[in-house]
C-alpha cells in the first residue's frame, strides 16, 4: 500500500517547464557581452522572459579576447523535451565599427528561403520575439556599462543542422539549421508550442505558395502516403500536424484553404472520430466502447464486438476489422464530420486511414456543407 502511495505521489508531481532557444540565445548573449566588456569570465546570466519572470541560466562555456567573446548554455526542454533539448546554444559578441546592434545567425541556425514566415527571405531564422529579447537585453548591458560602441551578435548551434532534420524546417524553407524560437520564453510541458508554431508557419508558407489544398499527416509514414496519393500537389501542401489535429485544421480554415486531407492511422484517428482534436497518448485514451459501437453500426457480430471491447490497442482493432470496409468508412466519415464541426464548416475535408504498413483502410470526403460524401474503399 505504501508503494502505491509513493507512486501516486510521484505521478502527481508537477511537470517541470523548460526554456526556449530564444531564451537561451538571450542569456548567452548577455554573458558574452559582459565578458567582452569586463574581460571577466561569466558563469551565469540572468534575463527577464517575455512573461515577466526572471531566470538565471548557467553557462557551459565562456571565452573572451579584447575583440570578441563567446558564451554557451545547454538548452533544457523541461519534462516535454523537443528536438532541441540538450543542444548547445552559443552567442558570439564582437565589437563593430558600425553603431548599434547587428544580429545574425551562424553555424546551425537556418536561413529563410521561402515567403510566409515571420522573418524575411535571406535572414537568419531568429523569430521576432527572440530578436527583440536579444537586442533589448544587449542594449541594457551596453547602457549599464556606459558603452557606446557598436556590436555584432551571432547566434549559433553547433548541432543545429543535424537537429533540423527532426523538425519541419526543411519543408518551411528554413535551410542549414534550426530556428531560434519562443514567444513566452518558457516551454510548457505537452503544449509543445514550438511544434505548433512550426505547423502555423507551414500552413502560411503553403498559402503564400498558392496552395488551396493541404494534406495534414500525423507522421512520416502517413505523410508519405499522402504524397503518393496527391503527387500533383507542391511540396508546401504537405504538413505534418503531429498530435495537433484541431489546431492544424483551424490554421487551414483561417488561411482560406478550400480542402484539407487528413492522413493517419487507427490509434490517433479513432480519437478524432470522437471529436478529440489533441491526440497525444497522454491527452486521451482509446475508447474501445466507441470502436465497438462503430463495429456494431458496420454490422459486426456480437462475438467481434466483444473482442473489440477486450482489445489492447486501436491498431489491434484495425486488424480485427480489416475484412469489414464499412467500419473504416464509418470512422472516416466521423473524422470528417468532427473536423468540420471543429472549424465551423466552410471547407472540404477528406480522411484517409492507413495501416502501420501503409495499406489503405478507409477514405471518405465530405464537402463543406456536410450534405454529400464521396466514399472510396481501399
Amino acid at each position: 500500500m505504501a508503494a502505491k502511495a509513493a507512486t501516486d505521489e510521484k505521478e502527481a508531481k508537477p511537470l517541470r517547464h523548460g526554456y526556449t532557444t530564444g531564451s537561451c540565445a538571450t542569456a548567452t548573449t548577455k554573458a558574452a557581452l559582459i565578458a567582452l566588456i569586463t574581460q571577466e569570465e561569466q558563469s551565469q546570466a540572468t534575463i527577464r522572459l517575455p512573461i515577466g519572470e526572471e531566470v538565471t541560466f548557467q553557462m557551459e562555456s565562456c571565452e573572451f579576447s579584447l575583440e570578441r567573446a563567446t558564451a554557451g548554455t545547454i538548452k533544457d526542454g523541461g519534462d516535454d523535451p523537443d528536438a532541441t533539448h540538450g543542444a548547445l546554444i552559443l552567442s558570439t559578441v564582437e565589437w563593430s565599427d558600425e553603431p548599434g546592434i547587428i544580429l545574425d545567425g551562424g553555424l546551425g541556425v537556418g536561413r529563410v528561403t521561402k515567403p510566409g514566415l515571420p522573418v524575411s527571405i535571406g535572414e537568419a531564422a531568429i523569430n521576432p520575439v527572440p530578436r527583440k529579447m536579444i537586442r533589448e537585453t544587449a542594449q541594457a548591458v551596453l547602457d549599464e556599462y556606459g558603452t557606446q560602441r557598436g556590436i555584432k551578435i551571432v547566434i549559433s548551434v553547433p548541432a543545429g543542422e543535424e537537429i533540423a532534420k527532426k523538425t519541419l524546417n526543411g519543408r518551411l524553407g528554413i535551410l542549414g539549421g534550426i530556428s531560434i524560437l519562443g514567444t513566452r520564453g518558457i516551454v510548457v510541458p505537452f503544449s509543445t508550442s514550438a511544434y505548433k508554431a512550426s505547423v502555423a508557419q507551414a500552413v502560411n508558407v503553403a498559402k503564400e505558395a498558392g496552395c488551396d489544398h493541404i494534406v495534414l499527416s500525423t507522421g512520416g509514414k502517413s505523410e508519405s502516403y499522402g504524397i503518393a496519393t496527391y503527387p500533383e500537389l507542391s511540396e508546401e501542401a504537405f504538413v505534418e500536424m503531429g498530435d495537433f489535429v484541431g489546431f492544424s485544421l483551424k490554421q487551414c480554415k483561417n488561411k482560406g484553404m478550400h480542402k484539407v486531407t487528413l492522413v493517419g492511422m487507427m490509434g490517433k484517428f479513432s480519437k478524432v472520430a470522437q471529436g478529440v482534436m489533441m491526440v497525444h497518448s497522454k491527452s486521451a485514451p482509446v475508447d474501445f466502447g466507441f470502436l465497438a459501437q462503430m463495429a456494431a453500426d458496420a454490422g459486426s457480430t456480437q462475438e467481434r464486438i466483444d473482442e473489440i471491447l477486450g482489445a489492447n490497442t486501436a491498431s489491434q482493432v484495425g486488424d480485427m476489422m480489416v475484412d469489414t470496409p464499412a467500419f473504416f468508412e464509418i470512422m472516416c466519415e466521423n473524422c470528417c464530420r468532427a473536423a468540420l464541426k471543429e472549424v465551423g464548416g466552410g471547407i472540404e475535408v477528406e480522411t484517409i486511414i492507413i495501416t502501420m504498413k501503409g495499406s489503405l483502410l478507409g477514405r471518405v470526403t465530405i464537402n463543406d456543407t456536410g450534405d454529400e460524401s464521396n466514399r472510396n474503399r481501399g
Side-chain angles (χ1 to χ4, degrees):
M1 185 66 70
K4 185 180 188 303
T7 301
D8 290 343
E9 184 179 345
K10 182 178 179 182
E11 288 177 353
K13 183 180 178 182
L15 294 167
R16 185 176 60 86
H17 65 242
Y19 299 97
T20 63
T21 48
S23 294
C24 294
T26 301
T28 54
T29 295
K30 182 174 183 178
L33 181 52
I34 293 175
L36 178 61
I37 293 171
T38 65
Q39 290 293 287
E40 295 177 357
E41 183 178 348
Q42 303 297 303
S43 61
Q44 61 184 31
T46 300
I47 64 168
R48 180 176 290 275
L49 304 180
I51 58 172
E53 178 184 341
E54 286 199 346
V55 178
T56 299
F57 290 76
Q58 300 302 314
M59 293 301 114
E60 185 76 8
S61 61
C62 183
E63 301 174 354
F64 57 89
S65 67
L66 292 175
E67 293 301 318
R68 69 174 53 84
T70 300
T73 193
I74 300 297
K75 200 258 192 183
D76 179 6
D79 284 334
D80 189 29
D82 59 17
T84 59
H85 176 68
L88 176 64
I89 311 294
L90 298 172
S91 178
T92 298
V93 183
E94 61 183 29
W95 298 120
S96 172
D97 294 332
E98 298 180 29
I101 298 172
I102 300 169
L103 176 60
D104 202 0
L107 177 68
V109 174
R111 291 267 159 194
V112 175
T113 66
K114 292 181 181 180
L117 296 169
V119 177
S120 300
I121 291 176
E123 291 190 9
I126 304 174
N127 272 21
V129 172
R131 282 178 181 270
K132 186 171 184 285
M133 288 173 65
I134 294 167
R135 286 180 173 278
E136 289 183 351
T137 300
Q139 188 60 58
V141 171
L142 293 172
D143 293 344
E144 180 183 349
Y145 286 92
T147 303
Q148 301 295 323
R149 297 181 67 178
I151 58 171
K152 180 178 181 181
I153 303 166
V154 177
I155 308 300
S156 56
V157 184
E161 191 165 4
E162 192 63 28
I163 294 170
K165 295 176 183 177
K166 303 173 185 178
T167 72
L168 299 174
N169 276 18
R171 184 63 49 77
L172 293 172
I174 299 172
L175 305 181
I178 66 167
S179 303
I180 304 300
L181 301 171
T183 55
R184 303 176 70 230
I186 62 172
V187 178
V188 180
F190 307 118
S191 73
T192 43
S193 55
Y195 194 93
K196 287 169 73 175
S198 294
V199 171
Q201 290 180 355
V203 174
N204 200 46
V205 167
K207 175 69 173 179
E208 293 292 327
C211 301
D212 66 356
H213 175 193
I214 284 186
V215 179
L216 298 174
S217 58
T218 54
K221 190 179 291 290
S222 54
E223 183 182 65
S224 295
Y225 192 94
I227 291 171
T229 303
Y230 288 104
E232 72 276 11
L233 295 182
S234 65
E235 178 186 55
E236 291 83 3
F238 299 93
V239 177
E240 281 194 37
M241 64 180 170
D243 298 321
F244 301 102
V245 181
F247 176 84
S248 303
L249 282 165
K250 287 176 180 176
Q251 292 298 312
C252 292
K253 173 70 180 295
N254 291 342
K255 291 299 177 182
M257 293 298 153
H258 170 72
K259 180 177 180 178
V260 177
T261 295
L262 304 173
V263 188
M265 300 177 195
M266 276 290 299
K268 295 184 188 299
F269 277 20
S270 68
K271 300 176 185 180
V272 175
Q274 287 182 270
V276 176
M277 292 291 153
M278 201 301 175
V279 293
H280 192 284
S281 59
K282 292 180 173 60
S283 68
V286 173
D287 186 338
F288 292 98
F290 177 73
L291 294 177
Q293 183 58 55
M294 286 194 294
D297 294 342
S300 293
T301 64
Q302 187 60 49
E303 182 181 4
R304 177 57 53 83
I305 292 168
D306 290 340
E307 287 178 357
I308 291 172
L309 289 171
N312 293 318
T313 66
S315 179
Q316 185 181 0
V317 175
D319 291 341
M320 293 177 185
M321 301 301 294
V322 72
D323 59 348
T324 311
F327 172 81
F328 299 104
E329 284 191 60
I330 291 169
M331 183 180 290
C332 286
E333 183 169 343
N334 284 340
C335 287
C336 290
R337 296 197 184 282
L340 286 167
K341 181 179 179 181
E342 179 74 5
V343 301
I347 59 173
E348 184 178 344
V349 177
E350 176 184 35
T351 298
I352 298 174
I353 299 177
I354 62 173
T355 66
M356 293 287 288
K357 294 181 179 181
S359 299
L360 180 66
L361 289 173
R363 181 178 181 182
V364 169
T365 301
I366 299 182
N367 70 10
D368 56 358
T369 65
D371 291 331
E372 300 176 8
S373 64
N374 175 35
R375 299 179 178 84
N376 298 302
R377 299 187 181 187

